[in-house]
Amino acid sequence: MRSYYSKAYKTVRFARYILLVVIVLFIIFSITFYKDEITFDNFRYLMKYVEISPPAVSEDVRNIGFSAVSSTDFAMIKQQLIVANPKNITSYDMNGRKMLNEDITYKNPKCVSNGKYVLIYDLDGYGISVYNHFSKVFETKLSTPIEYVYLSDNGAFAVITREKSYSGGVVAFNSRFKKVYSFMTRTATVTDVCFDDEKNLLACATTDVKDGDFYSEIYTFDTSSKKSNYKALITLSGEMPLSMFCADKNFAIMTDMGIRFYSYSGEEKNSISFGLNTPISLYRFKDFFAITQKTAIASTSTEVSIYDYSGKELFNSGFNSDISHIDSSSDSLYILSGNKVFAYNRYGSVFEESDTAFTEVSQEGGFRKVFALDDKKYLLVTSEGAYVVSPEILADEKNETENSENDTVSDINKVESDE
């Protein structure tokens, strides 16, 4: 019996020794190969839920309280709201708890999000910062002013900028945030850009005036090539390029007349005409994009059209006021128009109108953006805070309104009966 326990003890001790060695080797391996990613921000992420203070939830339906100015921009990542003010970047979870707070000096911050990262740049300034949902992962300052930044799905981005001796240009950074390509034009203005880092392909649109009319050119580049020559050149006459985006294996450009789909070799694949409508905004999502258009010059009505990335129309609807923002999740679509959110249930590529719509006018100066959350909830952002709206809240409000109307009718009937 004693020999059995002695053998068991030696086996356990040997196993503990092997486990300790494996842990030490794992730590050494991790430090060696991931030393660039081991930062204080990672430690802060591990400790971020050690919070002794209660969530900053007010007594009303607002879940998040903050103060925003007119130049403040907002984004959503991993169920966290990013608030980019000119002096600081702050993120909040949906309980109102502050998760990130960093000082910046961006006079006009703009947010671009792809679900994995939020890129914040200083419009007409020089700074660019990239965040994941808990810390800053990259920061740089350009020597030339920033006009726009296109963020790819994998974190790569391309910057529209300009130099003293050039009218416009593009600088591209890969997903590891290394500068990989640049292109400058002497006379033309670069209006937009798209960048597919995984395929090493970049496209940009330039506009100039020739013979009294707009003259636009679209260049495509292979960013893996050391040659500065363009891959293809596409010419558009009489159309003003407004926005570009990657579309599956191709790319698309929205002009004042419609949307054209091209291969990076310069071949036109498809097109969408706006007719007499005037395009206003474009919203990109994982498997579709949305276009807002004015239906007439003197009209206040706005039309929203949704297409997949092959150019097939999936949804179209008209609204009586301007569209402030559009966001979508895997099962819902939300359109912020005036003081109302229009909600749609999403079944793959099919969108059906939902009976949930939040219509209360904010007393803090109006709604700024709407963001889709899980479980058919959405977040309404104002200048003074953000509200989580759920089907349960909407149902309660609807019942209260109906009860109030019924009470009013009963009171009127009672008065008439007394008379």
Side-chain angles (χ1 to χ4, degrees):
M1 181 66 71
R2 179 177 295 179
S3 63
Y4 168 78
Y5 284 111
S6 177
K7 184 177 180 180
Y9 169 75
K10 291 179 180 179
T11 302
V12 172
R13 187 174 63 175
F14 180 74
R16 290 171 59 186
Y17 174 77
I18 293 297
L19 179 61
L20 180 61
V21 171
V22 170
I23 292 175
V24 171
L25 292 176
F26 175 75
I27 293 173
I28 294 174
F29 172 82
S30 300
I31 293 175
T32 302
F33 289 92
Y34 297 99
K35 60 182 179 180
D36 294 336
E37 300 180 24
I38 299 176
T39 65
F40 176 75
D41 288 326
N42 300 135
F43 176 75
R44 180 172 62 183
Y45 171 67
L46 295 175
M47 301 296 293
K48 72 176 184 175
Y49 291 110
V50 181
E51 179 67 57
I52 60 174
S53 61
V57 182
S58 59
E59 295 179 355
D60 57 13
V61 294
R62 182 191 301 132
N63 292 82
I64 305 170
F66 53 79
S67 179
V69 297
S70 59
S71 60
T72 300
D73 203 5
F74 307 91
M76 181 67 70
I77 179 173
K78 303 290 185 181
Q79 302 292 296
Q80 290 186 22
L81 175 66
I82 305 293
V83 181
N85 279 306
K87 293 184 179 180
N88 68 302
I89 303 296
T90 312
S91 71
Y92 301 87
D93 66 13
M94 292 301 99
N95 289 321
R97 180 161 29 206
K98 189 179 294 184
M99 310 305 292
L100 172 71
N101 189 14
E102 291 196 1
D103 294 334
I104 60 168
T105 53
Y106 290 2
K107 291 183 179 179
N108 195 5
K110 298 296 178 185
C111 296
V112 189
S113 176
N114 64 2
K116 181 179 180 181
Y117 296 110
V118 172
L119 184 149
I120 302 172
Y121 66 94
D122 190 8
L123 181 62
D124 293 326
Y126 303 90
I128 295 175
S129 300
V130 181
Y131 297 82
N132 56 25
H133 67 286
F134 63 87
S135 68
K136 183 188 297 180
V137 297
F138 175 73
E139 182 179 28
T140 189
K141 277 195 173 182
L142 302 186
S143 59
T144 53
I146 301 167
E147 297 181 357
Y148 174 74
V149 179
Y150 181 96
L151 179 63
S152 300
D153 291 339
N154 67 344
F157 61 91
V159 184
I160 295 180
T161 183
R162 61 184 184 276
E163 294 184 359
K164 291 183 179 179
S165 57
Y166 295 90
S167 294
V170 175
V171 181
F173 295 76
N174 65 16
S175 59
R176 298 183 64 84
F177 311 123
K178 303 296 183 182
K179 182 178 175 181
V180 294
Y181 206 82
S182 64
F183 166 73
M184 296 290 166
T185 65
R186 290 199 175 275
T187 59
T189 301
V190 177
T191 59
D192 217 309
V193 63
C194 69
F195 182 30
D196 189 340
D197 177 51
E198 294 181 349
K199 298 183 179 67
N200 299 314
L201 294 171
L202 181 144
C204 69
T206 67
T207 300
D208 206 343
V209 177
K210 184 177 182 179
D211 298 329
D213 201 355
F214 289 117
Y215 179 78
S216 301
E217 293 179 324
I218 305 169
Y219 295 86
T220 67
F221 303 92
D222 180 355
T223 59
S224 65
S225 174
K226 295 183 179 180
K227 297 180 180 180
S228 59
N229 296 336
Y230 55 82
K231 182 180 178 69
L233 175 61
I234 303 163
T235 301
L236 294 177
S237 183
E239 294 186 52
M240 170 64 76
L242 301 175
S243 186
M244 296 182 72
F245 55 93
C246 298
D248 295 332
K249 299 179 181 180
N250 306 307
F251 71 91
I253 179 166
M254 182 176 80
T255 72
D256 56 339
M257 299 180 66
I259 299 176
R260 299 176 183 272
F261 296 81
Y262 292 97
S263 69
Y264 285 91
S265 298
E267 180 184 359
E268 184 170 347
K269 295 293 185 178
N270 198 4
S271 64
I272 299 169
S273 175
F274 292 148
L276 299 177
N277 291 350
T278 303
I280 304 298
S281 302
L282 184 147
Y283 298 86
R284 293 186 293 128
F285 301 98
K286 183 177 181 180
D287 50 359
F288 68 88
F289 63 93
I291 303 291
T292 66
Q293 307 168 58
K294 281 294 183 183
T295 56
I297 296 178
S299 174
T300 59
S301 60
T302 307
E303 188 174 287
V304 175
S305 298
I306 291 178
Y307 302 88
D308 65 18
Y309 284 105
S310 68
K312 178 183 176 182
E313 186 175 72
L314 307 177
F315 172 86
N316 181 274
S317 184
F319 301 86
N320 293 328
S321 57
D322 294 340
I323 304 298
S324 303
H325 193 232
I326 298 176
D327 198 33
S328 177
S329 63
S330 60
D331 60 1
S332 300
L333 171 74
Y334 300 104
I335 299 174
L336 177 58
S337 177
N339 66 337
K340 188 173 183 179
V341 173
F342 292 85
Y344 298 85
N345 296 321
R346 181 185 172 196
Y347 307 98
S349 60
V350 178
F351 300 87
E352 294 182 356
E353 188 170 359
S354 171
D355 58 356
T356 58
F358 185 75
T359 57
E360 180 181 341
V361 178
S362 168
Q363 297 180 356
E364 289 82 8
F367 300 135
R368 299 281 291 270
K369 285 192 175 182
V370 59
F371 292 108
L373 304 176
D374 294 334
D375 301 324
K376 294 189 178 297
K377 298 177 182 178
Y378 57 88
L379 186 73
L380 268 173
V381 180
T382 76
S383 297
E384 300 295 333
Y387 304 79
V388 173
V389 182
S390 67
E392 293 81 9
I393 292 176
L394 295 170
D396 291 341
E397 290 179 350
K398 184 177 180 181
N399 292 334
E400 288 178 4
T401 302
E402 291 176 350
N403 291 336
S404 177
E405 291 175 351
N406 292 335
D407 291 342
T408 302
V409 172
S410 298
D411 291 340
I412 293 173
N413 292 336
K414 184 176 183 302
V415 171
E416 291 178 347
S417 176
D418 292 342
E419 292 176 350

